Amino acid sequence: MAIVLMDNRLFVLHTQNTTYAMGVDERGVLRHLYYGAKIDRAADFMHALTHPIELWENGSDQVMEEFSSFGCLRNKETSLKIAYADRTRDFRYRLTNCETAGDELILTLRDEEYAFVVRLHYRVDEHHDIIRRWVELQNDGDAPVRVDRIFSAEIALAGEGYQVLNVSGVWAMEQQLHADPITAGKKVYESMAGCTGFSNQPWFAAYRQADERAGDVTFGCLAYTGNFKVIAECVPYHYLNVTLGISDTDFAMPLAPGAAFVTPEVYLGFTREGLDGMSRMMHAFEHDELMPVARRDVPQPVLYNSWYATEFDVFGEEQERLADKAAEIGVEMFVIDDGWFGQRHSDRAGLGDWYVNPEKFPQGLGHLIDHVHSLGMQFGLWIEPEMVNPDSDLYRAHPDWVYRYGKRPIIMGRNQYALNLTKPEVVDYLIATFDALLSSYAIDYIKWDMNRFMAEALDDAGNDGMVWYNHSRGFMRLARALRQRHPNMSFEACAGGGARVNAETLSLFDQFWPSDNTNPLDRCRIQEGYTMMYPAKYMRAWITDDSRLSTSFRARCAMCGALGIGSNLNRLSEKELAELKEEIALYKRIRDTVQFGRLYRLRRLETNSAQIWQYVRGGQCVVITLVDHAAERLAPVCLQGLEPQALYQVGEGERAYVVSGAYLMNCGLITAGNRDRSGTVLILNRVEGA
Ligand code: DGJ
């Protein structure tokens, strides 16, 4: 049974391989008791409920809690901070109800004196070993309640010596992994960009001793595309407390009488199989449970994007020539980036004016689209809905549609202003505008960009403490409306690179642009961080021009995800085009395994002179090796996830050989040659016979 309730005070959740336990102690505190490898006997946890505490000293900090709140002798970071109308600012509760509905457990905590209710939701996904958590607040009183903080989940890990993994980053160097030992005090990972931003990610992985391959890892991933906060705190009473949810910085939510609020979800997991185990769990869960169903099993086409070739000088005729060349080398989707609309000749003008520029496309955009389709390719277009240049018809018509502070000049980011998505009329206008654009042309794919962060967080209605949150909901309403009206279109989420990579966006989009940086060695590091939580299928990666690096090296780095080409095809020699054609053909042979297979990061570039990634799906295994310094000889690498007794043909042609899965996983194989900056793709196929 997935959910076990005992005596209305002990609650135990089981997935295939894990157990999560909590219970109410004699003081009425909902204690967190355990999360880890499976313990079948739920009754054992009754014992944990009796661990005594010393009430004279920070009583509430001494126990691991399921849902802590500001006040009540707590010094630690907590999940909830509220203020009632009479300025009472703590939440003292009784657990008044516990109910199950299918795979969901709902615990109701009711304030002892005030008509305010917190419901903790746990949905048990046994198959994926994931517990989905969220919190619901309800004001049953007759006066408003101000909510200053409400996180989605709190996770306590018993003992000390934990490290917490997250990423740091800036534009063009996103997703840089770092593990922080949380030995004392706390560490905060946060975004104040109005979206996920570059700095950190809305997830955590906590462990004492773990690497890619093995070790106990507890992790949580927040599905929220706005400002988030993750706090990892070493509480001096021998546990690590992690809280995560909507950032409470500049957050204040008035909850009216009778009103309720539901937080974003957190996906919580535990694995004994190290960081790779965590990633594989999340990748499978994201595929099966989060991705838009209609498109999740559709492989990503090989894409060509003309941004690096032409930048803002987008002209119909030249794009047609690029499309011809793209089709010749095997590209399946041709994409026009920024610069096709309004008076968009640079980043200084035109943003907001979503009509096709007639000088750039004298024969109309439809002509180019027909041409692309006649070449057997799909067609894609770039948009940036949430922004406006001051030099645009949209801004001239609606200067009040952007965020601004009184008399101050509006802050510019990339010469543009942010549209105020908290205004329903702005979102309605954007839905109508883009719905019309997407309906007027035979567009197959949209690259949705966002090139500046929010600054002036002001709500016209005076609800300033909700601006960041409401802005993110405006974005989601827009994205959901376009997705619903164009269910077969593919959407890519880009934000000046990877500032919108998160699990909530993943549920409406089909792929991410992880970074504007396409240098293979930098990309390897970015991709290592990216794949911790997000799948290879969603990781768009382009081959771009760099005469210092071979085509195959650049290509094989991009093959680690969904391959795209960003080169200026009009400038490439016949030889270079032929090389690209070969690489694309190779990618098509491994695409399904890369995009839908299980990923094993056998070696990380961060800690080695080479990155070696292995993907397994059915009888095919693909190993992609990217060597930085060949001088540091590569030892044989042991593969993972194969069938020990099965036979695999390694490589192809005369040099192919057949060995067992057990050999490959224990004795290993040399995956690469001995050249600096080289990339190899090794294909292994399961074969019959001895
Ligand atoms: C930033 C994106 O990350 C690039 O790929 C490109 O689309 C530019 N914006 C266009 O302005």
Side-chain angles (χ1 to χ4, degrees), residues 171 305 307-308 312 337-338 344 382 384 414 447 449 451 494-497 513 515-516 542:
W171 172 76
N305 181 302
W307 171 243
Y308 288 129
F312 296 98
D337 210 278
D338 199 349
R344 185 77 167 165
W382 179 98
E384 187 173 2
R414 206 198 188 201
K447 176 177 172 186
D449 206 345
N451 282 295
C494 167
W513 179 235
S515 178
D516 278 353
W542 302 349

Side-chain angles (χ1 to χ4, degrees), residues 1-2 13-19 36-40 124-131 270 281:
M1 252 223 296
L13 313 177
H14 294 298
T15 67
Q16 256 189 89
N17 299 297
T18 71
T19 294
K38 194 147 186 180
I39 299 175
D40 288 313
V124 184
D125 184 336
E126 280 187 88
H127 171 69
H128 293 100
D129 273 328
I130 294 283
I131 298 172
F270 169 85
M281 278 167 73

